Amino acid sequence: MLLYDDEAERNAAEIECINKALVDGQYCIYATVDANDQDFLSMLAARITDYNKHINQQDLEVIDFKPFYDSATEGKLAPFNELKAHVEVMLENRIIYGKSKKALLIADAACNLARHKQFDECITLEGWWQDTY
C-alpha cells in the first residue's frame, strides 16, 4: 500500500521503485489511467533512468489502464486476467533469454476507484490482486 498526500508524491514514490527495480534487472509494468496523457508520459520519460532503452528492451512497459479501470467500475475483472496472462508470458520469455524472472507491477486502478468513492469495486479489485499474487 502506498500512502501519499498528493499526485506528485505518489508519482515520485512509484518512479523511485521503478528505477530501483530496473537497476536490479526486473521486468517493470506501470499500468496507469494516465497513459494517454502526453504531459504525464513526458514526465515519466524524463524521470525514469534510461526510459527509452528500457522500453525498447522490454524491461519496462507502460500500459493504458483506463479500460481496466472502466471495467472495474462495472465489477468486471476479465481484462485483469488478460493482464495476468500477458505478464506470465513476458516472464517466461525473460527466463528463456536469461533475464530476471522478478517483476514489479505498479497499477493505479484501485486508487482511482477509491478516489471516486467506488469502495466496493476497489475492495473487489484489491481482493483479485491478492488472490492472483
Side-chain angles (χ1 to χ4, degrees), residues 24-36:
D24 290 342
Q26 294 182 39
Y27 170 53
C28 297
I29 294 177
Y30 194 10
T32 177
V33 298
D34 296 319
N36 290 318

Side-chain angles (χ1 to χ4, degrees), residues 32-46:
T32 177
V33 298
D34 296 319
N36 290 318
D37 179 334
Q38 291 306 312
D39 291 335
F40 178 81
L41 289 177
S42 294
M43 177 277 300
L44 197 63

Side-chain angles (χ1 to χ4, degrees), residues 11-23 26 28-32 40-56 59-63 104 106:
N11 291 337
E14 292 169 338
I15 290 167
E16 181 180 351
C17 289
I18 291 170
N19 278 324
K20 286 180 181 180
L22 289 169
V23 166
Q26 294 182 39
C28 297
I29 294 177
Y30 194 10
T32 177
F40 178 81
L41 289 177
S42 294
M43 177 277 300
L44 197 63
R47 295 178 61 196
I48 293 179
T49 306
D50 297 324
Y51 177 87
N52 289 324
K53 177 185 108 177
H54 290 299
I55 292 286
N56 292 334
D59 294 327
L60 173 63
E61 192 171 357
V62 179
I63 294 178
L104 171 69
I106 294 177

Side-chain angles (χ1 to χ4, degrees), residues 56-124:
N56 292 334
Q57 292 178 348
Q58 295 184 328
D59 294 327
L60 173 63
E61 192 171 357
V62 179
I63 294 178
D64 177 8
F65 224 42
K66 181 74 167 89
F68 293 80
Y69 168 81
D70 292 341
S71 180
T73 63
E74 299 171 6
K76 299 176 185 170
L77 300 181
F80 294 89
N81 291 323
E82 294 169 14
L83 175 61
K84 177 183 181 254
H86 171 74
V87 171
E88 289 170 345
V89 167
M90 291 298 289
L91 289 174
E92 288 172 9
N93 289 337
R94 290 177 63 80
I95 292 167
I96 290 169
Y97 291 105
K99 291 185 172 185
S100 172
K101 64 181 179 179
K102 293 182 180 180
L104 171 69
L105 187 123
I106 294 177
D108 61 13
C111 66
N112 279 289
L113 288 167
R115 179 180 307 124
H116 293 103
K117 300 186 182 349
Q118 294 176 293
F119 301 116
D120 290 339
E121 293 83 353
C122 182
I123 290 168
T124 299

